[in-house]
Amino acid sequence: MFSSRTLHSIVLLIVIWVISAGSLASEADLSEFDLPLQESDIPVVLSAARLKQPRAEVPASVTVIEAEQIAAWGVRSLPDLLRFVPGVFVTQEKYEHNHVVAYHGSTAYMSRRLQVLVDGLSVYKGGIAMVVWDDIPIALEDIQRIEFVRGPSSALYGANAFLGVVSITSKKPADTEGVRVSYRAGNQEVRDVMGSISTVHSDSSSRLTMQQTGDSGFDGVETDSSDALEDSRRHGFATGYYAQNLDDGIQLSLQGGYKYGYTDVRKGLLWQEPRSNFVKAYYGSAQADFNFSASHQSYLRVYWQFEKRTQEGTACIPITALDSDLYSEWEVNPQWAKFLGFGLPLAFNSADPALVYASNQLLQQLAFDSSTPDELTAIIEQALGERYTLSQDDVDLAKAVVLRAYNGSDFSQFGQTMCTDANLSYEGQRSDFEWQDTVQWTDTLRSVTGINIRQDNIKSETYFGGMATSYLYRAFANLEWRATESIIFNVAGTYEYESINTPELSPHIALNYLLSPRQSVRFVYSTAIRSPDSYEQNPDYQHKVSDIPDNYLGVQEATYFIHQVYDNRHVESEKITSYEVGYYHNISSVGLEMDIKLYREELTQLISQYVGIAAPSLSNDTEMSMEGVDWQFQWEVNGKNWLRFVGAYLDTEVRPGSTYLFSQDEIDEFQTAETRLSAEYSGNVSWHHKGEGWNSTFSYFWNSAYDSNEADPNDYRRYEVNLQKLWRYRKLTPSITLFWHHLVDDGQLLETEQVYATNDLYSIRFGVNF
């Protein structure tokens, strides 16, 4: 079932466990059945089964990050915080510079396979398949805890909880009473400011938080002080939180906010200037929690969000790209259409004389010679180094396209271009309703059930030709049965119907065998899906051009040949089946907590290639097998020191499906798309020390990428140091925090351009609470 390398890693972890647990056992009595248990001493998890469960009874692998650890590490963003989760990899998508967070294997184009929740509300963008981490309106200082459920979780959280769930819980206003202000500055133009005020009354509390963050991103390939990669960002928000205790055990909470900002986007070949992706968003939610009795609780939640993303600029395109024959050819042979309407005109207008000469020769060949498809492909490969698969119809079409540009003596018209306004903007709106009911039926049986209804509207002339609407209806349930004192079963499932996809059922079955109240072995079987959204399933990508100046085609209005319509999309949900064996042990007498996960996962119907306007079609017949080990150890050495060690070993096998629509270069990239973001071995170690009025945290990260070799290891290693000094003067608590991030290697995360001019990033943060 598992490879020899995976079994080798398992043996290594057993040795680690024996050394740590065995040596500590010599200093303490670990007969935990005889120890008095206090509920406050037992770590609990809330998200894995939608039930409050002691860690030993949780039917999944979970990493919990508390507010104290967030402050200790001193990172600036949620993606950087999630680097501390075993098996999680973080990078920056190369097209629009959004962060990508993946658990185990995943594509590097978009964050599409994790469900991300803030106080139970999904931030996954239903219309445009991704999570934009910069758009999540929560300050790290307002986070109480993060629970990362590491494994398929569609059985309780629906589609898109494919590889896991990131559940972020914010602090209650009563937990942040007073005023908090902070300012951070550092190199790479880091400028962050945060302010918050919370008030508490007899039966209500409220909080207002405002934040703005910004930096210049990577320096780019020039590795100098300029921002050559054009990936600067600046984002801000204002959020409000109101909590009220009503009569009859009812708690009401209201949240709302406004989000704004931009992320720069690289210029690209056709664009005349760099551009930015601007965003404005509003949201509001209301939740009522009902405590009917000690054994029966429910909640009702409604949520609304509106978002507008604006990306506009001027693009100059070849007149040839507006030829109606190329519009049709794009659906038959997109590689050949792209060459005729894009690649060949660019070569014809190149500043390289040799390339211009080769292009002219090829135009003569296409227009006046009667070469067979095989002869023509050989000529093109020799002249331009490109290999194509052509039919006679492709050759005849190319002749017609090229002859239209012939003026009787030369092909100078073939180089005509025009500049036009390009718009990649869209507006999205979501309405969401969820009800959940939790019942303790007996001492050994309890359940959680619920329904979720959602409507997504997305409007874009470029992406959808107007408005696209989708509806989602979901019913979920989990039954927890304590069969004996030592055996606990969890059986969960979700039935989900979405208007643009086929209905799906996702089951989850887990058995926890308790060796003691703080020690268990778990066996988990689960399946999950990631359903294609409107961006993938129902696109109508078209760029219509008007007011075209005099041209050899004789048209005033036309449609750019690169397009996509929903008739060409018949993709199914991505699927995963997971088998997991886990071991958890909390040795409370010495402060050691450990969790080891051994897993094998089969992923099918994967969409691996880039999803966008330039993608001629989508296929989801890629398959992948993943197996490996995750581990996490947390040791509270004493009241002043804790040590944390997490890591992962990942072994993958990718089996690409149909690739006939792609060039060889695209096939090569396609085959590595699911693994190039991941590392075979990865991990990090953190040590935190708390002194009198000061504290320090030292962290070390390492990743060993899949494409490593002895000549080019392509490792990613870095150190982080966070030092904080606090003072107390009456009600004032001022602080100074120094953060230093040192890249041991060249700083490359995924793309060769993603490098800094310096391997040392640093910042200083001033804060005051009162």
Side-chain angles (χ1 to χ4, degrees), residues 377-388:
T377 56
I379 293 171
I380 296 174
E381 184 173 12
Q382 182 178 5
L384 301 176
E386 296 285 344
R387 181 69 181 173
Y388 293 85

Side-chain angles (χ1 to χ4, degrees), residues 199-274:
T199 60
V200 179
H201 303 286
S202 59
D203 56 1
S204 65
S205 58
S206 61
R207 178 175 64 235
L208 175 64
T209 299
M210 293 180 287
Q211 175 178 285
Q212 181 168 289
T213 61
D215 59 66
S216 62
F218 293 104
D219 296 302
V221 292
E222 296 179 4
T223 62
D224 57 21
S225 59
S226 64
D227 185 28
L229 199 55
E230 298 163 350
D231 61 343
S232 298
R233 66 188 73 228
R234 187 156 300 279
H235 292 270
F237 62 79
T239 60
Y241 191 143
Y242 176 79
Q244 173 81 48
N245 293 322
L246 304 177
D247 295 334
D248 301 322
I250 302 175
Q251 290 84 43
L252 176 67
S253 60
L254 305 175
Q255 296 190 53
Y258 168 68
K259 165 74 180 63
Y260 66 91
Y262 72 87
T263 299
D264 287 342
V265 179
R266 64 176 61 191
K267 179 180 175 181
L269 290 175
L270 299 179
W271 297 87
Q272 295 306 292
E273 68 281 320

Side-chain angles (χ1 to χ4, degrees), residues 266-276 311-317 417-424 543:
R266 64 176 61 191
K267 179 180 175 181
L269 290 175
L270 299 179
W271 297 87
Q272 295 306 292
E273 68 281 320
R275 60 199 191 281
S276 298
Q311 187 182 146
E312 299 174 340
T314 301
C316 293
I317 58 178
T417 61
M418 71 156 295
C419 296
T420 181
D421 293 334
N423 186 332
L424 300 179
H543 182 57

Side-chain angles (χ1 to χ4, degrees), residues 361-569:
Q361 294 297 106
L362 183 55
L363 288 170
Q364 293 281 345
Q365 186 77 27
L366 289 169
F368 304 119
D369 290 348
S370 56
S371 300
T372 66
D374 290 340
E375 291 171 340
L376 187 58
T377 56
I379 293 171
I380 296 174
E381 184 173 12
Q382 182 178 5
L384 301 176
E386 296 285 344
R387 181 69 181 173
Y388 293 85
T389 300
L390 301 178
S391 66
Q392 187 59 51
D393 287 341
D394 295 328
V395 175
D396 293 342
L397 178 138
K399 182 175 183 177
V401 169
V402 169
L403 279 175
R404 290 192 187 99
Y406 186 65
N407 63 10
S409 59
D410 59 39
F411 289 95
S412 58
Q413 294 183 128
F414 192 76
Q416 285 185 5
T417 61
M418 71 156 295
C419 296
T420 181
D421 293 334
N423 186 332
L424 300 179
S425 305
Y426 65 87
E427 296 179 2
Q429 182 172 293
R430 166 174 291 181
S431 301
D432 188 282
F433 165 91
E434 183 169 290
W435 170 81
Q436 177 178 301
D437 189 57
T438 304
V439 180
Q440 181 82 47
W441 299 100
T442 68
D443 291 341
T444 60
L445 185 68
R446 61 176 175 163
S447 67
V448 56
T449 57
I451 59 173
N452 179 239
I453 301 173
R454 178 182 301 165
Q455 176 181 324
D456 284 309
N457 296 313
I458 186 162
K459 180 181 179 181
S460 173
E461 293 299 326
T462 300
Y463 292 119
F464 300 103
M467 178 74 74
T469 300
S470 64
Y471 299 90
L472 180 146
Y473 305 92
R474 176 188 302 142
F476 59 86
N478 181 59
L479 183 70
E480 181 194 76
W481 175 42
R482 189 178 293 271
T484 69
E485 182 180 354
S486 301
I487 298 177
I488 301 173
F489 287 98
N490 276 268
V491 180
T494 286
Y495 177 78
E496 190 168 67
Y497 170 78
E498 193 172 6
S499 58
I500 62 174
N501 292 298
T502 56
E504 299 283 357
L505 176 66
S506 301
H508 176 104
I509 303 172
L511 182 153
N512 287 57
Y513 180 74
L514 301 182
L515 304 172
S516 78
R518 302 175 185 272
Q519 182 181 195
S520 67
V521 179
R522 63 182 177 273
F523 305 89
V524 183
Y525 165 82
S526 59
T527 67
I529 64 168
R530 188 195 72 82
S531 59
D533 59 19
S534 299
Y535 188 58
E536 299 165 291
Q537 191 72 277
N538 290 333
D540 187 3
Y541 304 164
Q542 296 193 55
H543 182 57
K544 298 180 180 179
V545 182
S546 58
D547 299 326
I548 304 174
D550 290 342
N551 59 87
Y552 72 87
L553 292 176
V555 296
Q556 294 181 332
E557 296 183 352
T559 303
Y560 188 51
F561 78 98
I562 294 180
H563 69 284
Q564 187 56 255
V565 295
Y566 68 89
D567 288 339
N568 296 336
R569 294 286 175 88

